[in-house]
Amino acid sequence: MDNRKMPSERHDLLFDAPIGRWDEALPLGNGLTGCLVWGDGAPLQLSLDRGDLWDTRLAPEVLDSGFTYRNLIQLVRNGDLQQINRRFSDFFSASPNPTKLPAGRIELHGEHASNRMTCRLRLHAAVAKVDWMAGDASYRIESFLHAEDGLGYVRLQGDRVQTVSLNLEPPAALSLLSYPDAVFGTEGDVRWFLQRTNQELAYAVVVAQRQASPRQIEWVYRVAASLDGEDWLERAKARVREAALRGFDDALPGHLAWWERYWRQSALSLPDFEAEKQWYITNYLFGSCSRKGAPPMPLQGVWTADEGQLPPWKGDYHHDLNTELSYSHYLKANHWSEGESLLDFLWDLMPEARRFAQSYYESSGINMPSVMTIDGKPLGGWPMYSLSPTNQIWLCHTFDQYWRYTGDRQFLETKAYVYLKETALCLIDLFLPGEDGRLRLPVSSSPEIHDDSLRSWLTPNSNYDLSLLRYLFGRLTELAELLEKNEERRRWTAVLDRLPELAVGDKGLMLSPDETLQESHRHLSHAMAIYPLRTLDYRRSDEEKKIIDDTIGHLELLGKGLWVGYTFAWMAALYTRQDNGEAAYFHLRQFWNGICSPNGFHLNGDYRKTGITAIHYRPFTLEGNMAAADALQEMLLQTDNGVIRAFPAVPAQWLHNGAEFQRFRGEMGVIVSAGAAHSRLEYVRLQAEHGGIFRVKNDFDTDKLSVERSGTMVILECPIGALLTIALETGEECLVRRSVQ
């Protein structure tokens, strides 16, 4: 496969009918701004979003002196569910704010609805194209959101383009927030609406028009906001006016160049085209809604729901699964720069995390609300999850993973270690030593077991909490040793030694020391140690292998009745830890075919009612998409603990028919490509971003391997299943193949 392979026309989204729903639309995005193209021509709708548009007004309960961990602990011990809900939860649903805000719509109204329409998203180019017939007239719209200049471009060509009118529509949902009505304005060929809010924020959708020819009209738009600085609206008018004069064709090459660079970062070719296409679609979604310099994706990225209501779950940042799974695949896919959006965001919020640790936990260090606004403030909600102190450790995991996959020593020293350490300082302040000397949290839970009932407060420590705690202090011990911080290493080791072991029963990992999962459940929180933390290793010991087998077997017995979309993806990832490619792929197929919209969006429920789960709603969130891509990549490449294993968990048919991946990222900055065919591994190519020792598991069908590097080739003997050790300098490449001699 060509190292420069990009998605082809076969990977495009293509629909031979009008798109009737926003969550099935053609999605465009540039990290900050999003657009959904849908409709039948009367109108054709461009639903707009901008990632930093938020109503951040807090509910009064959050500002109350009783909004503290200390008070929550006492209410839990008293069994006072009514007061727990009143003080920490009810206002999440009762008050419309804080919330993510949609931006509005551009609507193109033709004389008639289409009688024939084709809608296409050119994936490699990030350009939407809609062709339709309305009566006896033909039309074509092409549109893209520029990858770098932040503007949206629309070109309409057709028989009677003068009969197509453009309307601007503010979001109907804003009426729920009691905002003043939008103000509309026009200056020559520029029009806009200005939406003020009940806080300092104001924003506008600004559109400039250019009549390129009698058969062609072009528009350039921007979602501008007071966040852009002084004279923001006037500057937005000037920008769209100037861009419209230059035109669609002038802007397109720069946009295409960005996406070409993006697609060159990694590639794959699979014998199952649906899996291959879904991987490319997911990477397209990621590149569209996560960019350095823009806010990281919340629940819906840059495609806030356009249904006349505020977004599901307020479109917020959920740190008990959604944020973390949304950023689970990007490193292995080698899109590390785009994923830095999350790390920069969390790092910049360190002062707020410190304030929250002090005010809510009355502790030192840092901790973030687990359900929060764009500026790091709590929204409330079920407190056992929205205010869980250990969800902060899952955010630590994102810092640690970045270090693991890039090998960036400066990042480790100045950010990753600091973030983990500051989190640990908060948690140490919360521990209560038991009579056995073991450290436990005062209250414990496991997302989202027993929902918001009193039963959700599990006997400390839940395996969810404990898995994260043992991971955090274990990693701090390792990293402090690497950084030669001996005093701190001894401190972290002392804490780790006093934490209980994971609760294990005859059904594998338990929920807590005295409870086992008894029913199908959407959140596999008790299995965190298997994945994504990977602190239990299938190949390390028979004991750990049995725990993993028993845990997965018990989940199989309980069934999928109460699963949602991301559960299928998470389960697929668990199967990769058993090297069970058949089961992993089976669950990914169920996810893609049963849970995802035709445009790829993860809709959480079995909305088509195919029978794979009893949950039938369809709220769109992105974490399921990224989690599925992560599981697929784990089928193709695992680099745990410095051991590179190519195709460790793929279906036998894939090996037989041939599969390849290019430029996947492994631990410590090694870039890995590999190919398999005829039921055997054919080659593994390594490129070292940092010099080091790399170990490749010999899954070739021979003990004689050829190693090519620096223009020379040597034949080495390595028993099948053993590790081939290779030392590489920075920037050096090597190719390992089956020996032909």
Side-chain angles (χ1 to χ4, degrees):
M1 182 175 65
D2 187 345
N3 284 340
R4 298 170 296 176
K5 178 185 171 79
M6 295 192 296
S8 68
E9 289 186 1
R10 297 176 65 223
H11 300 101
D12 290 351
L13 294 177
L14 179 62
F15 309 112
D16 290 324
I19 300 172
R21 287 185 55 91
W22 70 271
D23 59 8
E24 298 179 1
L26 303 180
L28 303 171
N30 58 21
L32 180 62
T33 306
C35 175
L36 297 169
V37 181
W38 59 292
D40 62 3
L44 189 74
Q45 299 167 111
L46 282 70
S47 299
L48 303 180
D49 191 17
R50 174 168 158 155
D52 54 0
L53 297 183
W54 268 81
D55 185 323
T56 56
R57 293 174 296 164
L58 297 177
E61 289 86 348
V62 170
L63 305 174
D64 188 270
S65 60
F67 192 79
T68 65
Y69 190 55
R70 181 195 300 268
N71 192 32
L72 176 63
I73 293 168
Q74 190 59 53
L75 292 173
V76 171
R77 289 175 176 169
N78 293 344
D80 193 342
L81 184 60
Q82 181 179 6
Q83 285 298 311
I84 292 172
N85 290 338
R86 185 181 72 81
R87 289 181 173 271
F88 297 95
S89 179
D90 288 347
F91 55 88
F92 180 88
S93 301
S95 173
N97 52 276
T99 182
K100 175 75 178 66
L101 300 175
R105 287 183 186 173
I106 297 173
E107 295 184 347
L108 301 175
H109 290 261
E111 293 180 291
H112 309 286
S114 67
N115 47 45
R116 187 168 70 251
M117 179 176 278
T118 300
C119 307
R120 186 179 207 118
L121 176 64
R122 295 164 55 204
L123 212 64
H124 76 282
V127 175
K129 183 174 72 171
V130 181
D131 292 287
W132 77 98
M133 293 291 299
D136 60 351
S138 64
Y139 301 92
R140 168 176 290 179
I141 281 249
E142 295 174 281
S143 184
F144 65 93
L145 263 168
H146 200 287
E148 295 182 309
D149 75 13
L151 303 178
Y153 294 80
V154 184
R155 176 164 64 193
L156 170 66
Q157 298 168 300
D159 295 332
R160 291 197 291 271
V161 297
Q162 301 299 335
T163 67
V164 177
S165 62
L166 182 145
N167 292 344
L168 298 179
E169 292 290 336
L174 300 189
S175 63
L176 301 171
L177 296 162
S178 301
Y179 290 171
D181 291 341
V183 177
F184 291 81
T186 303
E187 291 178 4
D189 289 335
V190 178
R191 71 181 78 177
W192 66 89
F193 74 74
L194 170 63
Q195 179 66 62
R196 300 193 183 278
T197 69
N198 290 335
Q199 49 187 338
E200 293 181 359
L201 175 70
Y203 71 91
V205 174
V206 187
V207 184
Q209 178 174 317
R210 170 176 176 257
Q211 182 78 45
S213 74
R215 288 177 50 85
Q216 181 172 307
I217 299 176
E218 295 180 3
W219 295 277
V220 178
Y221 66 86
R222 175 169 174 78
V223 181
S226 55
L227 302 163
D228 299 331
E230 294 184 2
D231 299 323
W232 61 275
L233 182 54
E234 294 305 314
R235 289 190 289 113
K237 296 176 194 175
R239 286 195 64 193
V240 297
R241 184 181 292 116
E242 293 165 3
L245 289 174
R246 291 194 301 271
F248 188 100
D249 288 332
D250 182 77
L252 185 59
H255 169 75
L256 296 178
W258 188 94
W259 278 98
E260 181 176 357
R261 292 192 297 271
Y262 179 82
W263 290 122
R264 289 181 186 275
Q265 290 168 349
S266 57
L268 57 74
S269 178
L270 300 176
D272 186 291
F273 180 71
E274 181 62 22
E276 177 181 314
K277 181 175 180 177
Q278 289 292 343
W279 184 82
Y280 277 109
I281 289 173
T282 301
N283 280 281
Y284 170 80
L285 297 178
F286 185 81
S288 297
C289 62
S290 186
R291 302 282 181 85
K292 193 171 179 65
M297 65 181 99
L299 291 179
Q300 298 178 307
V302 293
W303 300 299
T304 297
D306 187 5
E307 289 189 297
Q309 300 292 322
L310 294 173
W313 303 292
K314 303 187 176 183
D316 58 14
Y317 291 96
H318 265 59
H319 302 322
D320 68 343
L321 174 148
N322 307 85
T323 305
E324 295 89 348
L325 292 187
S326 292
Y327 283 87
S328 59
H329 98 289
Y330 79 94
L331 285 163
K332 186 164 286 184
N334 206 18
H335 296 309
W336 56 273
S337 176
E338 292 75 23
E340 286 179 346
S341 169
L342 174 63
L343 302 175
D344 294 343
F345 173 74
L346 293 173
W347 187 258
D348 290 343
L349 283 174
M350 284 269 282
E352 185 59 41
R354 194 174 305 281
R355 281 192 291 271
F356 186 70
Q358 292 170 350
S359 65
Y360 180 75
Y361 290 108
E362 301 173 285
S363 72
S364 56
I366 62 170
N367 212 302
M368 300 296 295
S370 300
V371 175
M372 75 178 205
T373 64
I374 194 171
D375 53 359
K377 300 292 198 304
L379 276 82
W382 297 351
M384 56 289 294
Y385 321 121
S386 70
L387 295 166
S388 165
T390 59
N391 287 336
Q392 174 72 15
I393 303 175
W394 206 343
L395 295 178
C396 291
H397 184 255
T398 65
F399 279 84
D400 187 27
Q401 289 293 96
Y402 187 89
W403 146 248
R404 282 181 185 263
Y405 277 86
T406 63
D408 184 338
R409 178 72 177 234
Q410 183 179 11
F411 179 85
L412 169 63
E413 294 177 357
T414 62
K415 290 189 175 180
Y417 183 79
V418 174
Y419 201 83
L420 271 65
K421 173 183 175 179
E422 290 294 319
T423 297
L425 295 178
C426 171
L427 293 164
I428 287 173
D429 288 345
L430 307 184
F431 286 139
L432 297 176
E435 294 181 0
D436 58 359
R438 298 290 189 176
L439 300 176
R440 293 175 177 84
L441 294 169
V443 291
S444 193
S445 63
S446 188
E448 296 164 339
I449 302 298
H450 304 315
D451 293 342
D452 61 341
S453 69
L454 285 175
R455 292 180 61 210
S456 67
W457 299 101
L458 306 179
T459 300
N461 292 313
S462 71
N463 264 353
Y464 176 78
D465 287 341
L466 192 53
S467 296
L468 287 160
L469 290 166
R470 293 192 63 83
Y471 158 79
L472 174 65
F473 288 99
R475 284 299 288 159
L476 279 170
T477 297
E478 296 169 3
L479 296 177
E481 182 174 5
L482 178 64
L483 297 174
E484 298 181 348
K485 297 178 180 289
N486 294 328
E487 187 63 33
E488 292 184 3
R489 179 184 60 79
R490 286 190 286 271
R491 184 182 188 186
W492 310 135
T493 301
V495 175
L496 180 63
D497 289 344
R498 295 182 65 191
L499 289 171
E501 297 295 330
L502 293 172
V504 178
D506 59 2
K507 296 179 177 62
L509 291 170
M510 302 170 65
L511 291 176
S512 68
D514 56 5
E515 186 174 353
T516 298
L517 186 65
Q518 296 295 326
E519 64 179 4
S520 172
H521 194 268
R522 59 190 175 274
H523 201 306
L524 308 182
S525 49
H526 67 299
M528 285 286 292
I530 304 173
Y531 203 82
L533 300 179
R534 297 181 289 186
T535 50
L536 290 177
D537 190 328
Y538 201 68
R539 291 169 287 278
R540 185 158 48 209
S541 69
D542 290 341
E543 179 185 6
E544 293 187 23
K545 180 178 184 296
K546 185 177 187 307
I547 292 172
I548 294 171
D549 285 341
D550 289 347
T551 303
I552 291 175
H554 185 54
L555 289 170
E556 292 173 337
L557 183 66
L558 294 176
K560 305 181 177 76
L562 297 178
W563 286 14
V564 294
Y566 64 71
T567 322
F568 289 85
W570 194 342
M571 190 69 181
L574 291 179
Y575 279 120
T576 68
R577 310 318 295 168
Q578 290 180 314
D579 297 343
N580 187 345
E582 306 292 344
Y585 180 51
F586 177 77
H587 284 75
L588 291 180
R589 285 204 316 273
Q590 289 188 312
F591 171 80
W592 291 321
N593 296 333
I595 307 292
C596 291
S597 172
N599 71 351
F601 281 3
H602 163 232
L603 299 185
N604 276 274
D606 178 16
Y607 66 98
R608 295 190 186 96
K609 298 186 178 180
T610 64
I612 59 175
T613 170
I615 307 300
H616 299 307
Y617 62 0
R618 58 181 299 163
F620 160 53
T621 58
L622 276 161
E623 78 291 323
N625 295 109
M626 310 307 163
D630 185 41
L632 177 59
Q633 292 170 174
E634 287 291 301
M635 293 168 63
L636 299 171
L637 174 67
Q638 294 176 18
T639 59
D640 304 346
N641 303 313
V643 176
I644 297 166
R645 304 172 68 234
F647 307 106
V650 297
Q653 188 178 22
W654 289 17
L655 289 179
H656 178 73
N657 292 338
E660 288 185 278
F661 61 84
Q662 297 288 339
R663 296 189 60 77
F664 277 18
R665 179 172 290 272
E667 289 184 353
M668 293 297 106
V670 64
I671 306 301
V672 184
S673 304
H678 310 298
S679 300
R680 65 194 183 197
L681 181 62
E682 293 288 335
Y683 75 89
V684 174
R685 185 190 302 274
L686 308 180
Q687 179 181 356
E689 289 186 337
H690 310 284
I693 305 296
F694 302 95
R695 298 178 295 165
V696 178
K697 185 171 182 288
N698 181 7
D699 284 327
F700 300 87
D701 62 348
T702 176
D703 59 3
K704 289 186 171 56
L705 304 177
S706 70
V707 180
E708 300 177 33
R709 54 192 297 178
S710 304
T712 63
M713 183 183 75
V714 297
I715 306 299
L716 299 176
E717 289 196 7
C718 178
I720 296 173
L723 300 181
L724 177 67
T725 301
I726 302 170
L728 296 175
E729 301 293 331
T730 299
E732 190 177 9
E733 294 187 27
C734 79
L735 177 65
V736 183
R737 291 182 177 271
R738 300 169 57 254
S739 174
V740 296
Q741 297 184 2

